[in-house]
Amino acid sequence: MLNMDFSQRVVIESAKSDWQPSPAAGIERKLLEREEAERGRATSIVRYAAGSRFNTHEHPLGEEIFVLDGVFSDETGDYPAGTYLRNPPGSAHAPFSEQGCTLFVKLHQFARADRATVRINTNTQRWLPGHGGLQVMPLHSFETEHVALVKWPAGEVFQPHRHYAGEEILVLSGEFIDEHGRYPKGTWMRSPHASKHTPHVEQETIIYVKTGHLPVL
């Protein structure tokens, strides 16, 4: 088990982590949280070498993907950097990458009733106005869970706030900052239920954010 105590705050600068082999040749990963070896809940950065592929496999409790670079593919299509995907519980596919790619991947974390298949190219999706100078791009919502990209303009400061059922962030560009530290591109953090912070940025920053999905302990 890795980082499975959801009462604890976790921060990982993935750029400083080592790549580890997966069961498929040419596919490596950086583990962020993991329930069991090759099964159960997992969050990882995954890298496909050019021409690498996985055999057909099923996702009993779903799979969520954000393509960080390159082009990710399966039998449903080709997905360039900036694509957000959700494969619902019980879905199956045989993923591959002809030119190579890097992904943010979350496995086995859906509610069983969350049956939506999602394919969003965030490069062409419209940003919506958020609090203050923030811009928001909603990606998915189900019950209390909400997933979005948030764009912070340089110098933006957000109000102090608490996270009901937790918050998870992956810094996609720039540098995210709060009273606990500074988080450069590639940093993944998970904050527990009822955690509080006052975030800000000094440079334009884009983050992936998921809220409302962790246990209320």
Side-chain angles (χ1 to χ4, degrees), residues 27-61:
I27 301 176
E28 301 173 298
R29 58 210 175 175
K30 296 183 177 187
L31 305 179
L32 305 175
E33 61 177 4
R34 194 165 189 83
E35 187 174 6
E36 298 181 57
E38 310 314 328
R39 60 182 295 177
R41 182 187 182 103
T43 300
S44 310
I45 306 293
V46 180
R47 181 171 68 182
Y48 283 64
S52 58
R53 61 189 60 237
F54 263 113
N55 293 330
T56 300
H57 57 278
E58 185 175 303
H59 300 295
L61 277 181

Side-chain angles (χ1 to χ4, degrees), residues 125-143:
Q125 195 82 348
R126 191 164 69 94
W127 290 97
L128 304 177
H131 292 286
L134 300 181
Q135 293 180 283
V136 180
M137 187 182 297
L139 300 175
H140 183 71
S141 292
F142 183 81
E143 296 179 343

